[in-house]
Amino acid sequence: MRAFVWAFAVALGAVSLPVCAQDSAQALRQDIQALRQTLATMEQRLQALEQAEGVAPAIAPGPPAVVASAPTSTLARAPQVPGTGQAILPPRDSVSDPSTAASRPDSAAGPTDPELKGFFAIPNTDTMIRIGGYAKLDAMADARASGDEDQFITSTIPVGSDHRDMRNFNLHAKQTRFSFEARRPTSRGNLRFYLENDFFGSSDSYQFRLRHAYGQLGNTYAGYGYSSFMDADSLPDTLDFAGPGGAGYLLVAGIHHSFAIGKGNTLTIAAEDPDSELAGTTDDTRAESRLPDVTVTARMERDWGHLQLGAVARSVGYDGIERDERKLGGGVQLSGSASVGEQDLLLFGVLGGKGLSRYTADLTGSGLDAAIALDGRLRMLSLAGGFVGYTHYWSPMWRSNLVLGQLTLGRDDALAADAFRQSRYGVLNLIWSPAPSWTMGMELLYGQLEQQDGQRADTMRLQGSLQYNFIK
């Protein structure tokens, strides 16, 4: 359209040129002035048409006296990512960043990514996508045998004759992570699809491991990811990937729905894939799970932090040739975060129950939900634990974390003498982030394991990490 305006102006000037050559200078000035007025009128009409159609006017080349500047209201704006503008929790930093993958009502942004950076629109659709993740290198030096050389899991520390003053150095990049996320608004709320993996699928190689694969429409979630019993926003900021053993932590397939109860308050009900993890099974007995695990979680979010109270009920049982038995188990967890002053943050979690080992970071997959006694009776194992973490920001680029945790399993003569009894976990680190996408730090870890027979062993690890975030 503007090309036409300028072509018309040039043509009009070309036609009038012979006439102007014969006229006086005064007549030529009048013709030029009339031409400018005509062009200005056409510019105004063009802008009016573009505003009516919702198109931002382009800036036409030409003398400043002729071209009018476009109003701010007509400038093109980038579409807003569905979920931004809903975050309540105070922003925070985290190396492993579990909050990004967590499900939230209407897929709202989390405290580690309140602006949902890095999304771009698919042309001619309402869908926005983002490819994220990070590359992370971990270097670890153990003072004594630690069991797991890639993660600091206190329940794997060797005890007795296996616990030797064997120093070990390890270097790996298994925590490197890739994620894909898609979001779009719908008449039923925001739609979110999230896919994430790392490379902890094997102890001796870099095998792909699925961490999250779920979809969420509005407040309804379905897929594989964090159990709704756990609280990703309360997990402390550590270079070590495993974190405190007394924290609630489980990746599981499930479906849940959240109900809003006022601003910042939600109630979530979930059904999740069950798995009876039993000690004392034989070739004649088989763990059985007849019903899904059911969780109910109440959560309160404020600008100072949050509180979450979760409860899980489970059917744990087994089938045998001569006997079968099922019992009801479960437990509760209270967790949260709280701002301390202008910079610091307090994080905590406490949990307890019977048949709850599967839902803890230290004992998931250990077969300690319950034990089958010699007489065939099923004994639910009691469990209690927790952690507390404190984050201090020395400056916008420097921060430190102090984390303490403990997990205790009740004594039971149905368990083997070398079975887990208690673990303790401690971390102190110093983390430097000179740029948003670059983080490095040093961390000192201490772990202690006690068995059912009372034998103990401990170890210390010094870990250094270098991490590059794809989007931050």
Side-chain angles (χ1 to χ4, degrees):
M1 190 62 160
R2 293 186 178 278
F4 172 78
V5 172
W6 281 102
F8 174 81
V10 173
L12 186 59
V15 171
S16 62
L17 184 60
V19 178
C20 293
Q22 301 174 8
D23 292 342
S24 64
Q26 182 63 29
L28 183 59
R29 291 193 193 95
Q30 293 176 356
D31 289 341
I32 293 174
Q33 183 64 30
L35 179 59
R36 287 180 174 176
Q37 292 176 356
T38 301
L39 186 58
T41 301
M42 296 183 71
E43 284 284 345
Q44 294 174 0
R45 292 181 60 188
L46 178 59
Q47 289 181 11
L49 286 173
E50 289 177 333
Q51 291 178 16
E53 295 174 358
V55 179
I59 303 300
V66 176
V67 180
S69 60
T72 304
S73 60
T74 63
L75 295 176
R77 296 176 181 175
Q80 184 180 27
V81 181
T84 54
Q86 303 182 48
I88 300 177
L89 296 177
R92 60 170 293 202
D93 295 308
S94 176
V95 172
S96 60
D97 198 9
S99 295
T100 292
S103 167
R104 303 177 190 280
D106 204 25
S107 299
T112 57
D113 185 21
E115 300 176 8
L116 293 176
K117 297 179 180 178
F119 279 88
F120 59 93
I122 299 179
N124 301 319
T125 72
D126 293 330
T127 301
M128 305 192 73
I129 63 174
R130 172 172 69 175
I131 299 174
Y134 53 78
K136 185 168 183 277
L137 179 69
D138 293 314
M140 288 152 286
D142 295 330
R144 290 182 290 275
S146 60
D148 193 315
E149 296 181 356
D150 298 329
Q151 308 175 68
F152 196 72
I153 303 176
T154 48
S155 61
T156 65
I157 296 174
V159 179
S161 59
D162 294 331
H163 185 255
R164 302 182 297 274
D165 291 338
M166 182 179 66
R167 298 183 179 182
N168 183 68
F169 179 82
N170 184 33
L171 193 70
H172 74 82
K174 292 183 179 180
Q175 193 177 328
T176 295
R177 183 180 301 175
F178 290 96
S179 66
F180 172 83
E181 185 173 0
R183 291 172 176 256
R184 64 171 297 155
T186 74
S187 59
R188 301 282 183 176
N190 293 327
L191 175 64
R192 182 191 189 195
F193 170 74
Y194 190 78
L195 180 68
E196 182 182 283
N197 81 283
D198 61 21
F199 297 92
F200 274 110
S202 174
S203 60
D204 56 359
S205 65
Y206 288 82
Q207 185 175 346
F208 176 93
R209 181 183 71 164
L210 181 67
R211 287 178 49 81
H212 297 273
Y214 69 82
Q216 181 175 339
L217 177 60
N219 293 345
T220 302
Y221 161 107
Y224 181 82
Y226 293 140
S227 166
S228 63
F229 178 77
M230 68 172 283
D231 181 4
D233 295 327
S234 70
L235 297 179
D237 181 22
T238 62
L239 300 177
D240 165 47
F241 181 69
Y249 192 97
L250 179 65
L251 295 170
V252 65
I255 180 172
H256 67 244
H257 184 82
S258 298
F259 302 89
I261 311 175
K263 183 175 177 57
N265 303 322
T266 56
L267 179 69
T268 302
I269 300 176
E272 298 175 344
D273 179 43
D275 186 11
S276 297
E277 299 181 355
L278 306 180
T281 57
T282 65
D283 294 339
D284 297 331
T285 58
R286 180 176 62 89
E288 180 189 59
S289 300
R290 293 189 177 183
L291 297 172
D293 292 355
V294 176
T295 67
V296 179
T297 304
R299 183 178 175 97
M300 178 182 71
E301 294 186 357
R302 297 293 185 269
D303 56 2
W304 50 262
H306 79 286
L307 290 173
Q308 178 171 309
L309 178 63
V312 58
R314 314 182 59 206
S315 176
V316 179
Y318 79 96
D319 275 337
I321 296 178
E322 298 181 356
R323 183 187 178 104
D324 60 270
E325 189 173 359
R326 279 157 295 281
K327 286 189 176 182
L328 182 66
V332 296
Q333 176 180 234
L334 176 65
S335 56
S337 64
S339 297
V340 180
E342 297 182 357
Q343 297 288 337
D344 296 358
L345 188 67
L346 177 68
L347 305 164
F348 73 92
V350 291
L351 54 79
K354 289 189 175 183
L356 195 62
S357 295
R358 183 189 182 216
Y359 283 81
T360 64
D362 232 359
L363 296 181
T364 183
S366 63
L368 291 175
D369 288 333
I372 303 174
L374 294 177
D375 59 2
R377 298 187 63 182
L378 185 66
R379 296 185 181 178
M380 303 298 291
L381 300 177
S382 61
L383 181 77
F387 69 91
V388 60
Y390 190 87
T391 303
H392 176 69
Y393 286 85
W394 304 99
S395 72
M397 292 189 297
W398 293 87
R399 66 185 187 271
S400 290
N401 295 272
L402 175 64
V403 186
L404 301 173
Q406 180 172 307
L407 185 64
T408 304
L409 188 72
R411 296 189 184 277
D412 198 302
D413 56 15
L415 295 174
D418 60 354
F420 178 93
R421 161 62 179 166
Q422 186 179 81
S423 66
R424 293 186 174 92
Y425 176 92
V427 163
L428 178 63
N429 61 36
L430 179 63
I431 300 174
W432 180 44
S433 296
S437 294
W438 178 25
T439 298
M440 61 189 304
M442 296 293 295
E443 184 169 270
L444 182 64
L445 302 103
Y446 172 81
Q448 183 189 78
L449 175 64
E450 179 183 342
Q451 297 178 342
Q452 288 282 320
D453 60 7
Q455 291 194 68
R456 297 179 181 180
D458 62 0
T459 189
M460 295 186 69
R461 170 176 289 179
L462 181 63
Q463 177 170 336
S465 299
L466 177 60
Q467 176 176 317
Y468 298 105
N469 288 76
F470 302 158
I471 298 173
K472 207 156 189 177

